Amino acid sequence: MANSFHDDLETRSADEREASLLAALPEQIHLAQRRAPAYGRILGGIDAMAVTTWESLASLPVTRKSDLTELQGREPPFGGFSAVAPGELARIFASPGPIFDPEARRTDYWRFARALFATGFRAGDVLHNCFSYHFTPAGSMFESGAHALGCAVFPAGTGNTELQVQAIAGVRPTGYAGTPDYLKVILEKADELGVDLSFLRLGHVTGGAFMPDVKRFYRDRGLEVFQSYGTADLGLVAYETAARDGLVLDEHVIVEIVRPGTGDPVAEGEVGEIVVTVLNRDYPLVRFATGDLSAFMPGTSPCGRTNRRIRGWMGRADQTTKVKGMFVHAGQVAEVLKRHPECRRGRLMVDRAEGTDIMTLKVEAPSDADAGSIAASLAAVTKLKGAVEIVEPGSLPNDGKMIDDLRKYEG
């Protein structure tokens, strides 16, 4: 069992882990306030040493990934969120937006060694890395993680599929890292060229949905391919293990699942937006709202790792739409629900009838709930009139969606 886990952190008790993370939280927030100018403003007046519980963490404002482009434009390059000057970094990347991302000068900065270890990579293995090496940080994320494990890396990057086949045939790597679909493209090109790549054993994929048909393709070829979830801002957030039962959280992140458009944690098991506080002294993001949906899973993984698990990527949380020319977003639906505690969950249905947009807010609430009062709140918050329909608790899908646009668009 000694070689089954990356380190002892993965098998500590849940109580020990929670105590350790919550004990690190006040100093992390204090560091962010002191060294990252943006958090000096956002968290100004907050007593960092008092943030020692999940409840006190949930009271802090969120920082939204969707706002970073504008914030960085005002205060380049990192919007005041970095605790390290640009010239002291190892690399600076740009993700679509553009959003600029720092990489500090330390081993396995993005923490992907843990995910690669769970995939099966060990010292002496060779990784064929098909993530991009320019502009975006994915290539560096996996190279630095592989190096931390003692693996060699072939920096393949993206594209040039025939050359990828030739390189794999010549180097004979242990496995692949890249997007979920691209390894399939490479293997099919190898088949077309009559090149045998059956020696490939492992794969680690991220950066897109890992679809069931692609999983079957790899399984039929005897390839063990695992996935992870992370972002260019946070690094690794969660990773798949041999149990194939959800994604286990990284040991250096504090993850909350909140109602989309808010910072309010949802009930256990409910789908919501992933919000992460990362214990990174160089880029100390606090309650960073990713815009991605997921949900916590009950219990622990059968693989023996004791950290919490999420169900993986389940879609996007940003559900803004236009009704009668006015923007309506998930945060407004959440505000209506907040004003009526008897409403457990809600979904705004947007449709058209007789040539005009119509809104119907479906809410899970007791049958005697005051639909008229809820409708008044809907109008006050959105500045638009809409109907309210009371539905039975548990009848709305648990998918994190708060706005469902049913209108048919022609184009």
Side-chain angles (χ1 to χ4, degrees), residues 4 33 48 68-69 83 98 122 126 130 132 159 162 183 282 320 347 375:
S4 298
Q33 291 172 318
L68 278 187
T69 299
R122 299 291 185 270
V126 178
C130 283
S132 174
E162 190 166 330
L183 177 57
D282 304 297
T320 301
R347 179 179 297 226

Side-chain angles (χ1 to χ4, degrees), residues 54-137:
W54 289 100
E55 292 75 19
S56 56
L57 175 62
S59 71
L60 302 182
V62 298
T63 297
R64 298 202 168 278
K65 183 182 178 79
S66 57
D67 294 334
L68 278 187
T69 299
E70 180 183 349
L71 294 170
Q72 291 184 350
R74 292 182 200 164
E75 193 174 351
F78 304 118
F81 291 98
S82 177
V84 180
E88 298 174 8
L89 296 165
R91 298 179 181 88
I92 297 171
F93 295 99
S95 298
I99 295 174
F100 295 102
D101 304 299
E103 180 183 341
R105 299 176 184 270
R106 52 187 165 85
T107 301
D108 194 23
Y109 172 81
W110 309 95
R111 308 180 313 283
F112 268 90
R114 187 178 304 281
L116 289 173
F117 187 94
T119 295
F121 286 95
R122 299 291 185 270
D125 286 335
V126 178
L127 175 69
H128 188 86
N129 188 6
C130 283
F131 282 112
S132 174
Y133 272 78
H134 68 287
F135 270 82
T136 60

